[in-house]
Structures are given as C-alpha cells and as structure tokens.
Amino acid sequence: MDIELMINSFPKLLNATLITLKLLSVSLIVGLFIGLGFAILRMNNNKLINKFAYGYSYIFRGTPLLVQIFIIYFGLGQIEYLRTTFLWVVLKEPYWCAIIAFSLNTGAYTSEILRSAFQTIKPGYLEAGRSLGIPSKIIFTKIQIPIAIKQSLPAYGNEIILMLKGTSLASTVTLMDLTGVAKYIISTTFKPVEVFIVAGGIYLFMTFIIHNVIKYLEKKYGFQT
Amino acid sequence: MELLYFGDKGWGDELFFATLMTIAVSITAMIIGFLFAALFTPLKLSSNKFLNTIGNAYTTVIRGVPELLVIYLFFFGGSGAIMFVASIFGYNDYIEINAFLTGSFSIGIISGAYSTEVFRGALQSIDKGQFEAAKVLGFNKYIYFFKIILPQMLRLAIPNLSNVWQITLKDTSLISVTGLVEIMRQSYIAAGSTRDPLFFYSFAAVLYLMLTFLSMQLLNRLETKFSKGY
C-alpha cells in the first residue's frame, strides 16, 4: 500500500471531480427537458408521433453509451456538410460531444420514467379536480406534477447515479474527468489498487450524497396517494 | 455496403466474429455474476452483522463506482495480483492474463452485484409460509431449496434478471479499452483503417440493438414459461 501516492493523487483527482460534476449537472438538466418533451410525445394519441418517441427511447436504451459517444464524436465529423455549419464549433469539442451524448441518453431513460409516472396518476384525481371547477393549468401544476414527482423520484434517483457512472465514459474521448485522471495516474505509476481506492471513494461519496438527497425529497413528497 | 463484404475485401466476417465474442463475453460474465450472487446473496440476508456488512459492501461499492474504473482496476491490477500469489508459491516469471478472462471477470463482478440485489429481492418477497411449511413437512435440505424455494424465486427474479442481462450486454462494450476484439474494438479498428467511423459505429449500434432485441424475445418466452401456473 502506497499511502503517499494516495495522498498525492487526492488533490488531482478532486480537481478532476469538478469536470465530472459539470458533465453530470449539465447533461441532467438538458436530459430532463428532453425527457419531459418525449414523455409528452409518448402520451400523444397520434400513432406516428407515439412511435417516433418510442423509437427514440428504444434506440438510446438498447445501445451502449460508448457507441453513442463514438458516433457523435468520431462519426458526425465525417459529414462534410456539418463541418461548414455553425454546429461544427460545438461538435469538434469533445466536451460538448460528451454532453450531447449524455443528455440524449439520460433523456431517453427519463422519458420512460416520467411517462410511467404520469400514467400511474389515477384518473379520479383529475376528475375530482375538474368537477371542483379547478382550471386545468392548476390541475397540472398542483395535482399532476406533485404526484408525478413523488412517483418518479426513486427511479430518477437511480438514473442520476447511473448517469454519474456514465460520465466516466467521457475519458474515452480524451476528457480528463475523474476516471480519465485516475487512469492516467494508474498507467504512469502502475499502482491500480491505491488509485482505485481514492477515485472509487470519491465516486462512492457522490453516490452517497445523491442517495440521501433523493431520500430526503422522497420524505418531503411522501404524501399518500 | 462493400465495407461489409465477407473475406479480404470487407469487414463482414470480422464483425460477425466480434459479435460472437460479445455474446461469449456477456454469457461468461453473466455466469460469473451468478456465482458471485450465489456467494453474496446469503451474506446479505444473513443475520450475522459482520457477514451482512461484507455483503452490503460488495453491492454498494460495485454499484456506486463506474464500470470503467472497475475494468481498469482488473486490467492493470489483475496480472500483478496473480503474479503476487504465484510468487508465494515460488514462481517468479511474468504472467499475462488473457484479455477475455480479465474482461469477463470484471464485467462478471459488476453483473454479480446487480444479480445479488435481484435474488435478495426475490427471496424476500416469497411468502414466509412457504419456508415454514417446507420445514414443518420435514423435507430434506435438497428438496427444500431446489424444489420449493428456487422455482418460486426464479419466477420472481427472471423479469429483473433480464434487465441485468441487458446491462451486462451493454457493459461488455467497455472492455474494448483492454484490447479484446469484440464489437466495439472491431468497429474501432475498421473505422481507423477505412476512415469511415460514422458507418462502422452506426453499424455497431445496429448490432447491439439486434442483440438486445433478440435476447428480449427469448427472455420474454422464458418468463412466460416460468410463470406458468400462476
């Protein structure tokens, strides 16, 4: 056990954690909007729109995240037309490619979580709201949204943790996130166990915090439905 | 389409064997995962506090740390650990472990943590009366476990195990970083030598979609078979 290496690598790894957190938070926020959009499309009665939304989530949930990042980072640059547009400014940066891939991926999972949350709301609640003469906007914000949040919290908490682990794939497209720096230190010192303990410890600490925040929110929204 | 020709001209045969490799690694990893689950599920359910902590530590650590980090640990640390054990027995030469074994083992440990959780949940949701009745009727241990508890547990576990299978199948793409030639690695090689990454990575995505789709069909059939009689 090389304690000195563990102490020396800790600040470097902690610094890299910032990139991991940045990737995680940006892609979660973008992914939440994508997920909400596709969840609404999934509940649409039009068959074509419904199929499109289902296809999106099926493709992104059925392929590894690594393939998705590689298609976006290595693949899209091949299209000549894209290189001439403004999109190229975004797509040539590995950071933005990773964010696009993560957002689309978590968006697919989030749309499934939100769809099932909205569908489990008993119709009686909406009917009760309507028969009391409550405007539909308020029914949406004061009845549907709180129940949907309550229903989707446990699953969404898991999704956040999965996404935290997913950000480690950013290291495959040259980004120096927590896993990227950990791999760099391992390959220069050949001390995998020590680095794994420190980097894994940081990841576990983050999962622990996410887990507890979700638990607190579950308690807050823990009303009986 | 010429890129997919079999033989020397295209990458068809290479990708075909790479797909077989992905399937082989996934199945091996799944089986290794079951062995881990068989070991750790009793620990998680144990009333002994020490054993319980070991079981919980396994599932918490593995499920809380990125798969890639676990793979790096075994990839860089695996041969070192084996050489250390070998040196105790007086063997001091360099030992290199096979990429297939390292890959299946690291993915297996990850899949084992998920399987453990599935089996624990399934065992806990079997009606208590079943355990008690089997004991009261005086069945021996073999019948008690294999004929009464296991079939009920499998029925509850199979839907979740098919999720674990999906996760495992997708995780195998990560061991391409260790150089094992499976779908991802082969696409990387093909994309590098033809300068056509868009086509090959999209094709890899199609291969994965096919694998997940076909395995879902099979598993759904298994699920209906096991839930017979309910």
Side-chain angles (χ1 to χ4, degrees), chain B:
Chain B
M1 265 301 142
E2 266 174 35
L3 292 171
L4 289 180
Y5 281 158
F6 278 66
D8 289 341
K9 264 187 172 170
W11 294 87
D13 46 345
E14 280 91 347
L15 282 167
F16 176 71
F17 288 118
T19 311
L20 291 186
M21 181 59 100
T22 292
I23 299 172
V25 175
S26 312
I27 292 175
T28 320
M30 206 64 192
I31 292 169
I32 293 174
F34 283 156
L35 295 180
F36 271 95
L39 189 70
F40 282 99
T41 313
L43 292 187
K44 273 203 93 151
L45 292 169
S46 158
S47 48
N48 181 324
K49 233 183 179 172
F50 177 68
L51 296 179
N52 203 311
T53 314
I54 295 179
N56 281 332
Y58 168 62
T59 52
T60 315
V61 169
I62 296 295
R63 293 188 313 148
V65 169
E67 296 83 356
L68 208 52
L69 210 56
V70 178
I71 290 169
Y72 285 141
L73 174 70
F74 287 104
F75 179 57
F76 287 105
S79 59
I82 287 186
M83 278 197 299
F84 177 72
V85 174
S87 71
I88 295 173
F89 293 100
Y91 185 86
N92 283 319
D93 280 340
Y94 180 74
I95 305 171
E96 198 185 317
I97 6 174
N98 180 298
F100 180 83
L101 284 179
T102 331
S104 319
F105 190 75
S106 37
I107 300 288
I109 282 194
I110 296 163
S111 131
Y114 289 99
S115 299
T116 305
E117 289 293 338
V118 170
F119 287 135
R120 181 193 57 88
L123 272 177
Q124 279 179 335
S125 47
I126 295 176
D127 190 13
K128 258 196 185 151
Q130 297 283 340
F131 294 91
E132 285 160 7
K135 268 190 191 141
V136 167
L137 290 170
F139 285 126
N140 67 33
K141 268 195 173 153
Y142 170 80
I143 295 183
Y144 170 72
F145 184 72
F146 284 97
K147 295 282 172 187
I148 297 167
I149 303 304
L150 195 67
Q152 299 192 60
M153 188 187 84
L154 279 183
R155 178 182 71 92
L156 295 165
I158 280 182
N160 291 322
L161 281 183
S162 65
N163 279 338
V164 176
W165 164 255
Q166 292 255 20
I167 294 173
T168 307
L169 187 66
K170 287 192 277 173
D171 278 351
T172 58
S173 68
L174 299 178
I175 53 175
S176 59
V177 297
T178 67
L180 181 73
V181 184
E182 38 69 77
I183 297 179
M184 246 355 245
R185 185 76 197 168
Q186 190 62 64
S187 312
Y188 180 80
I189 296 167
S193 79
T194 59
R195 299 180 179 240
D196 199 351
L198 184 62
F199 174 77
F200 279 107
Y201 290 133
S202 310
F203 191 71
V206 173
L207 286 175
Y208 278 112
L209 269 183
M210 253 166 51
L211 286 181
T212 45
F213 176 75
L214 289 177
S215 52
M216 268 346 254
Q217 299 287 326
L218 272 171
L219 287 167
N220 282 342
R221 219 173 275 174
L222 205 67
E223 206 180 313
T224 33
K225 198 186 148 199
F226 269 92
S227 51
K228 234 184 230 170
Y230 284 92

Side-chain angles (χ1 to χ4, degrees), chain A residues 7-212:
Chain A
I7 295 169
N8 284 339
S9 57
F10 186 66
K12 287 182 215 156
L13 289 169
L14 213 55
N15 216 0
T17 310
L18 282 181
I19 299 185
T20 294
L21 284 177
K22 241 199 286 183
L23 285 169
L24 177 71
S25 48
V26 175
S27 40
L28 278 178
I29 293 167
V30 179
L32 193 61
F33 282 106
I34 296 177
L36 190 64
F38 275 95
I40 292 169
L41 290 185
R42 269 301 282 284
M43 289 182 289
N44 197 302
N45 288 327
N46 186 324
K47 248 194 179 156
L48 204 70
I49 293 176
N50 202 318
K51 275 263 161 67
F52 167 71
Y54 178 69
Y56 165 77
S57 88
Y58 191 90
I59 289 174
F60 277 90
R61 291 182 311 137
T63 54
L65 182 53
L66 190 64
V67 180
Q68 294 159 21
I69 295 185
F70 275 18
I71 289 179
I72 292 172
Y73 182 62
F74 294 112
L76 289 186
Q78 209 185 323
I79 304 170
E80 286 295 323
Y81 171 71
L82 269 183
R83 286 167 173 266
T84 59
T85 59
F86 134 88
L87 268 177
W88 185 238
V89 183
V90 175
L91 283 174
K92 70 179 179 192
E93 293 287 336
Y95 178 76
W96 290 111
C97 285
I99 285 203
I100 293 171
F102 295 154
S103 311
L104 289 173
N105 185 275
T106 182
Y109 283 95
T110 311
S111 78
E112 290 295 318
I113 293 169
L114 290 177
R115 178 190 58 89
S116 68
F118 275 113
Q119 280 178 345
T120 47
I121 299 175
K122 287 183 196 134
Y125 289 106
L126 308 182
E127 282 161 17
R130 258 177 249 136
S131 60
L132 288 169
I134 301 171
S136 61
K137 224 184 203 169
I138 294 183
I139 291 181
F140 186 70
T141 54
K142 294 278 171 185
I143 299 176
Q144 278 178 295
I145 293 270
I147 297 178
I149 288 177
K150 175 198 147 71
Q151 301 279 19
S152 57
L153 262 179
Y156 193 64
N158 277 338
E159 173 56 23
I160 296 177
I161 290 172
L162 281 182
M163 213 49 232
L164 170 67
K165 297 201 288 171
T167 55
S168 69
L169 297 186
S171 63
T172 59
V173 288
T174 72
L175 276 177
M176 287 314 250
D177 74 321
L178 183 45
T179 303
V181 171
K183 194 211 162 186
Y184 176 75
I185 298 177
I186 291 176
S187 58
T188 48
T189 61
F190 282 103
K191 295 250 162 64
V193 180
E194 286 86 345
V195 180
F196 178 81
I197 292 174
V198 179
I202 298 176
Y203 272 114
L204 275 182
F205 181 70
M206 288 193 278
T207 359
F208 175 77
I209 294 206
I210 295 168
H211 181 81
N212 278 304

